[in-house]
Amino acid sequence: GLFNRTAKMKFNKLKTSSRRKNRKAYFNAPSHIRRKLMGAPLSKELRQRYNVRSMPVRKDDEVQVVRGHFKGQQVGKVIQVYRKKFIIHVERIQREKANGANIHVGIHPSNVVIMKLKLDKDRKRILEHRAKSRKTDLEKGKHTEEIIQAMET
């Protein structure tokens, strides 16, 4: 824009920084992109085991709500991933309507932590792929003692 207060470097000139356009892209996103937008962090144990920080939520995952009105210690299974509304429905997280019927309360995936993954071959592939890219990133930044000594000689 005209009045840039912060001189921040932009990495990809093809990606817009406009709030208006980013909101439009988010709310008009097709289902396969909404899947990526609806990711949730993994629990500490899963993060240790798979070396992956977050995953898109899936129907039979077990999650724990960590933010908002329904946060608590019990773990519930994801019943439905409602991509159109950007929410997930978790078992036992429901409220009573005025007429006495129980309905599930929608929760945004960023407010939950995945405690247990429903694994199939595709999901395992994603985990391996993400762990691999994470590993190369870690190795890229660090210079070990041997490399430095080799450089000096």
Side-chain angles (χ1 to χ4, degrees):
L2 203 57
F3 301 104
N4 273 347
R5 277 184 271 287
T6 56
K8 210 178 350 181
M9 198 165 113
K10 203 164 163 190
F11 293 113
N12 182 358
K13 67 177 174 47
L14 301 173
K15 175 80 179 96
T16 179
S17 302
S18 158
R19 173 175 163 87
R20 179 188 190 173
K21 288 179 187 173
N22 276 318
R23 282 176 61 85
K24 181 178 181 182
Y26 178 85
F27 289 112
N28 294 334
S31 182
H32 70 286
I33 290 169
R34 284 186 186 216
R35 174 177 163 274
K36 282 187 192 167
L37 292 171
M38 294 178 68
L42 267 55
S43 69
K44 294 238 165 44
E45 294 83 57
L46 290 179
R47 208 184 297 169
Q48 288 281 310
R49 192 186 316 161
Y50 298 115
N51 195 17
V52 172
R53 193 171 179 85
S54 64
M55 280 289 277
V57 179
R58 183 204 151 139
K59 188 174 169 188
D60 288 321
D61 287 345
E62 287 181 21
V63 299
Q64 177 184 346
V65 183
V66 290
R67 288 283 181 274
H69 181 41
F70 291 95
K71 75 176 170 195
Q73 293 309 311
Q74 91 272 32
V75 175
K77 200 179 229 183
V78 176
I79 298 165
Q80 180 188 31
V81 178
Y82 203 152
R83 287 187 194 167
K84 189 178 180 187
K85 291 186 178 178
F86 286 107
I87 57 171
I88 58 175
H89 289 152
V90 183
E91 69 179 359
R92 294 195 301 277
I93 293 188
Q94 49 197 18
R95 55 177 275 259
E96 203 173 284
K97 284 174 45 167
N99 65 8
N102 278 334
I103 54 157
H104 289 285
V105 178
I107 289 170
H108 193 272
S110 66
N111 298 327
V112 303
V113 167
I114 300 176
M115 303 304 279
K116 193 169 163 199
L117 290 164
K118 166 95 159 62
L119 286 174
D120 52 20
K121 66 177 200 311
D122 296 320
R123 207 90 189 273
K124 283 183 179 141
R125 234 188 87 231
I126 295 168
L127 280 169
E128 281 164 21
H129 190 86
R130 287 192 166 197
K132 198 172 78 188
S133 67
R134 188 94 183 250
K135 200 171 142 204
T136 53
D137 285 352
L138 289 171
E139 286 167 4
K140 215 180 280 178
K142 299 273 194 313
H143 279 317
T144 56
E145 305 271 328
E146 300 91 66
I147 296 171
I148 294 166
Q149 282 168 355
M151 280 176 177
E152 286 168 358
T153 52

